[in-house]
Each structure stands twice: as structure tokens, then as C-alpha cells.
Amino acid sequence: DEANNDKVIDTKDAVRECVDKGSGWDPVTVIETILKGTTDGTNREAPSSRFVTRMIPLQSTCFASMDEICETTKFLLQRFLYKMEKKQEKDKQTTTTFGIYVKRRSCGHLTTNAIIQSLGAQVAALAPSWKVDLTAPTVKIWVEICRTTAGVSIFRVNSTLSAKTKFNVVDLRAASAAAQEDPVE
């Protein structure tokens, strides 16, 4: 039993170690850069991709069960809160708001409302000062489910990753091209 106890890692310590060492890459940052280059015209030298139509910044994947999704979200939320605490030491921010967005495909065993209720309870437990705002949240919790696989992301909403982003690269390119052709005076 004592040998097994030595192997148990505190989740918060694992999160801190992962964030402090900067291990891995963050798909949110990568997609944010690509979408920004797509919409603001800074990525005009590179040819647009014919093969990528939609990019989703999934930070973690798991089995599509309520327990797995909640555990994955808990880990990501702890990591996000730790990063946020480090950033808030530098600049004071107002109240944080959040929205939970769920997209299910070919998944009949989980309901959107059940997922939102479970994740909302988790957010309330880990970040009690956060308030729900579905129209203009400052933090977005994104859950994608396809059959038996679920992907989860938690990211700060900004000008590139807006609350209404569907991560459709083709639509963003078309809208950007139309805006450049017809500038508003």
C-alpha cells in the first residue's frame, strides 16, 4: 500500500508542473494564430488550404462518458485557473464569466443539458466567483462529442476566438475577403 501511495500524484501539483515546464503545445494558441492570420489578412503570402475547412482547438480527448468528460474538464479547469492566477498577479481583471458549449454527433447516450449541468457544477466548485454569461463570456468551455470520443477545451474569449466562433476556416476566409473588397466608409 505504501508503494502505491508514493505513485499517487496530486492533480494540482501535476497541473503546476505541466504549466511551469511549458510541456506540450496548446492547440488553442495554434488555432488562434491561424484564425487571426486568416481574418486580418496577415497570412496572405501562404496559400489557403483546400483541405482544412474546420479546426477545433481540443486540448484533451477522452471517452464520451459523463465521468470521463467531468474528470477531463476538471484537470483542464485546474490548469486554466493556475495559468489565470499567474496572469492576474500582473494585471487585475474584473469578474470572470463563462459559457459551456456542447456539440454532439452520433451520440445518443449523453444529453447536452446533462453535460452542461455537470460541468456547471464543477465550475461552481472550482471557481465560485465565476458567473454564467452565454452571450459574451470571457471564458469558453467547449465540448465536442462524436460517437464514443469527446474533446474538451477551455480558453479565454478574445477578438480572434469569439464566443460565436464555429472554427470554420472557409467561412472566415470568405468573410475576410468580402470585407476587404467592400470596405465600410
Side-chain angles (χ1 to χ4, degrees), residues 47-179:
S48 63
S49 175
R50 296 178 287 174
F51 308 106
V52 177
T53 57
R54 189 166 186 248
M55 298 170 39
I56 306 166
L58 299 177
Q59 293 171 314
S60 186
T61 58
C62 61
F63 182 72
S65 72
M66 191 64 73
D67 292 339
E68 289 282 327
I69 293 170
C70 287
E71 192 62 35
T72 301
T73 304
K74 179 180 178 183
F75 175 78
L76 289 174
L77 189 58
Q78 287 174 336
R79 184 173 77 179
F80 185 83
L81 288 170
Y82 180 69
K83 283 182 182 178
M84 201 168 117
E85 285 172 9
K86 289 181 84 170
K87 185 179 180 194
Q88 281 184 345
E89 289 172 4
K90 296 176 186 172
D91 50 276
K92 302 295 178 197
Q93 184 176 336
T94 59
T95 305
T96 302
T97 60
F98 74 98
I100 300 171
Y101 301 86
V102 178
K103 180 161 184 168
R104 297 179 309 120
R105 291 184 304 274
S106 303
C107 177
H109 66 282
L110 292 172
T111 64
T112 300
N113 287 339
I115 295 168
I116 290 172
Q117 287 176 351
S118 294
L119 297 184
Q122 238 178 14
V123 170
L126 292 172
S129 64
W130 287 16
K131 305 293 180 207
V132 175
D133 183 357
L134 299 178
T135 57
T138 55
V139 174
K140 188 173 187 178
I141 300 172
W142 185 275
V143 180
E144 286 264 342
I145 302 171
C146 185
R147 294 188 183 186
T148 60
T149 304
V152 181
S153 283
I154 301 174
F155 54 88
R156 183 170 296 284
V157 175
N158 57 32
S159 61
T160 306
L161 295 174
S162 69
K164 296 178 177 87
T165 300
K166 298 295 183 196
F167 308 108
N168 189 325
V169 178
V170 174
D171 288 349
L172 289 171
R173 261 190 216 282
S176 176

